[in-house]
Amino acid sequence: MSTAAHRRPASALRASLGRHDRATSGRAAAHALALAFLAVPWERPALLEAGFEVFGRRPRWMGPLVTRMLRAYRDQPADRPRELAGFLGALLPARLPQRIVVRRAVPTRTVRMRWDAPRLDDLAALAEFLEVDGDRLDWFADRREINRKTSVEPLRHYRYTWIGARLIEAPKPRLRALQRRLLDEVLGRVPVHPAAHGFVPGRSVHTFAAPHAARPLVVRLDLAAFFTSIAISRVYGVFRTMGYPEPVAHTLAALCTTSTPAPVLRGRPGAFALRAPHLPQGAPSSPALANLCAFRLDRRLDGVAARFGAVYTRYADDLAFSGALGPAEARRLIGLVERIAAGEGFRVNPVKTRVRGRADQQRLAGLVVNERPAPSRADYDRLRAVLHAAARDGLAAANRESHPDFAAHLAGRVEWIARGRPARAAKLREMYTAAVATP
């Protein structure tokens, strides 16, 4: 006990402990009542009897409490036991019976799914869906925070790589497989906002940039720490919005987030926030969850763009606006975007904000949009130079950035630069064939 506590009068200590006991008793009573109410038909007589059974007596306040609960919840909140307990806790009287006689264990169930995703009523159903047992599910959800606390590599669920100031948190194969399944069979069923183009099937950087082609003014902004700024509470909100019961949503959120171990962050004071659970950049489920968590942001920014007669799209952390905006309107737009992003839990990086008119090179996600979305001439010339060097000296000598599969990297660059340009495509593919044929 602290020195300050020793100096407090005994009566004050007793009062403090008494308040703590009452608070604990109130929470326990609210939880017991919530489970009792969820175990019986959602009708006043059955609810009253269930409440009386909890305490083994018939307190007078039980009737008004049930009345207020039925007014607040027309239907049984079978997927929200914690929410119901919180509601009841605020209604309980200060003086409660000292003993809880009956505690029920009531499994949750799904009340309504908003989209065509698997129905998972409880943790047993979730474990069966993921084809793991309960202990393994608990291990991957890291309820005991072993991943965050341990310094033993085999006990960690992620591998960590710093690329400059950016931390890549790559899940190990078994957790990655679970996250991939959640992406394919759960998250993939939820529609994103039409303005979102990153990591969305059928959309790409070209669909992101195309609405801004040949526009008088293009404004580009960047969201700082896009993935890692999304906390577990917001991920939990996505799964609850889908319709999953509280325990299932909590576990799903835990499977898709991580707390970075302190040793990984040592010497990087700006990364301290990563010790709280967040979306890991490197997990297959993170892009889809980030898009869903940014739905309100996209909706609000789309509305702001409409007010200015502009168009809005987003590719991951890149925000793009375009239209016939004057300098003063562009400044007002940027200020509004910064305030809305902050209100939605994101932060605009002002260093990367760009405002470009027709006389400038209007560039979005590597594409120049002054006329139509296309890589710049400089990008084309650079790729030609690399292909020429590879054909002359071999792939290994030309691989100055140490790409693990340089031939595949070059093939991707060829298709990227050549898209929509038949003559350019033919020339680059001919040069690529010569490059990979060089011993």
Side-chain angles (χ1 to χ4, degrees):
M1 188 176 293
S2 68
T3 304
H6 280 299
R7 291 173 182 167
R8 293 167 63 187
S11 59
L13 283 174
R14 283 195 297 272
S16 174
L17 291 172
R19 285 194 298 271
H20 176 74
D21 289 345
R22 284 196 298 273
T24 303
S25 175
R27 284 194 296 269
H31 183 68
L33 282 172
L35 295 181
F37 292 152
L38 293 175
V40 299
W42 202 245
E43 300 169 354
R44 182 179 174 81
L47 292 168
L48 283 172
E49 288 303 317
F52 295 152
E53 183 184 54
V54 169
F55 299 109
R57 52 183 298 182
R58 305 173 73 86
R60 277 187 258 179
W61 48 261
M62 189 67 72
L65 181 142
V66 169
T67 298
R68 293 187 63 177
M69 180 180 70
L70 288 173
R71 287 175 183 167
Y73 294 92
R74 293 181 57 187
D75 300 310
Q76 187 182 61
D79 60 338
R80 292 165 283 166
R82 292 189 185 185
E83 178 188 306
L84 180 60
F87 175 83
L88 296 173
L91 301 179
L92 289 174
R95 297 180 64 85
L96 289 169
Q98 293 184 352
R99 293 179 61 244
I100 296 174
V101 177
V102 174
R103 295 179 187 269
R104 293 179 180 265
V106 181
T108 56
R109 63 179 175 82
T110 304
V111 172
R112 180 175 69 94
M113 293 297 295
R114 293 190 61 183
W115 295 282
D116 184 27
R119 179 185 175 115
L120 305 170
D121 287 329
D122 51 31
L123 295 183
L126 175 59
E128 182 179 359
F129 168 71
L130 294 175
E131 298 179 348
V132 296
D133 59 30
D135 289 340
R136 187 66 63 177
L137 179 65
D138 190 66
W139 162 252
F140 285 121
D142 198 28
R143 296 183 186 278
R144 301 175 186 175
E145 296 188 323
I146 294 174
N147 182 79
R148 183 175 70 83
K149 295 175 181 177
T150 186
S151 58
V152 180
E153 173 60 29
L155 296 180
R156 290 179 176 172
H157 294 316
Y158 290 81
R159 294 187 175 94
Y160 304 93
T161 305
W162 285 98
I163 301 177
R166 186 163 52 111
L167 177 62
I168 303 300
E169 299 176 286
K172 293 180 180 178
R174 286 180 293 178
L175 178 57
R176 174 178 287 273
L178 298 184
Q179 292 171 340
R180 171 61 65 179
R181 184 161 194 176
L182 292 176
L183 171 63
D184 293 341
E185 301 186 36
V186 177
L187 298 171
R189 309 293 178 88
V190 186
V192 301
H193 193 276
H197 290 260
F199 317 106
V200 180
R203 305 180 199 175
S204 65
V205 290
H206 286 84
T207 64
F208 159 69
H212 308 285
R215 305 279 283 180
L217 193 80
V218 175
V219 179
R220 181 173 68 83
L221 303 98
D222 177 83
L223 297 176
F226 179 56
F227 289 104
T228 56
S229 66
I230 297 176
I232 189 172
S233 57
R234 298 172 68 183
V235 177
Y236 167 76
V238 167
F239 289 116
R240 281 291 296 126
T241 300
M242 292 182 68
Y244 288 115
E246 287 173 339
V248 175
H250 276 294
T251 303
L252 287 170
L255 289 170
C256 296
T257 57
T258 187
S259 302
T260 310
V264 177
L265 304 176
R266 191 167 293 130
R268 298 179 182 268
F272 182 78
L274 296 179
R275 296 190 66 179
H278 58 271
L279 279 185
Q281 186 166 353
S285 50
S286 289
L289 279 167
N291 277 336
L292 296 175
C293 288
F295 188 94
R296 264 177 50 98
L297 173 72
D298 290 331
R299 185 173 61 187
R300 294 180 67 184
L301 294 185
D302 196 41
V304 167
R307 285 169 51 189
F308 284 84
V311 175
Y312 162 70
T313 60
R314 178 179 61 81
Y315 191 91
D317 53 1
D318 281 341
L319 313 179
F321 299 82
S322 64
L325 303 172
E329 288 182 304
R331 287 193 296 271
R332 284 177 51 217
L333 172 67
I334 292 169
L336 277 172
V337 171
E338 290 175 342
R339 288 195 291 275
I340 289 172
E344 294 297 327
F346 297 98
R347 181 175 64 85
V348 171
N349 182 357
V351 175
K352 295 186 177 181
T353 298
R354 299 287 184 270
V355 180
R356 296 290 184 261
R358 293 300 302 272
D360 306 310
Q361 187 183 82
Q362 298 170 329
R363 196 177 180 101
L364 295 174
L367 298 174
V368 177
V369 297
N370 292 67
E371 296 180 6
R372 58 174 179 170
S376 68
R377 177 72 193 196
D379 292 334
Y380 171 62
D381 290 340
R382 277 193 293 270
L383 179 58
R384 286 190 60 184
V386 172
L387 291 172
H388 178 74
R392 183 189 63 216
D393 304 323
L395 288 174
N399 187 12
R400 296 182 179 179
E401 297 181 1
S402 301
H403 292 283
D405 189 342
F406 192 45
H409 168 75
L410 287 178
R413 291 296 297 166
V414 166
E415 295 308 314
W416 166 260
I417 300 293
R419 177 168 175 163
R421 301 286 186 91
R424 180 179 288 185
K427 178 63 176 176
L428 290 176
R429 287 167 185 158
E430 179 184 347
M431 295 183 70
Y432 172 77
T433 301
V436 295
T438 302

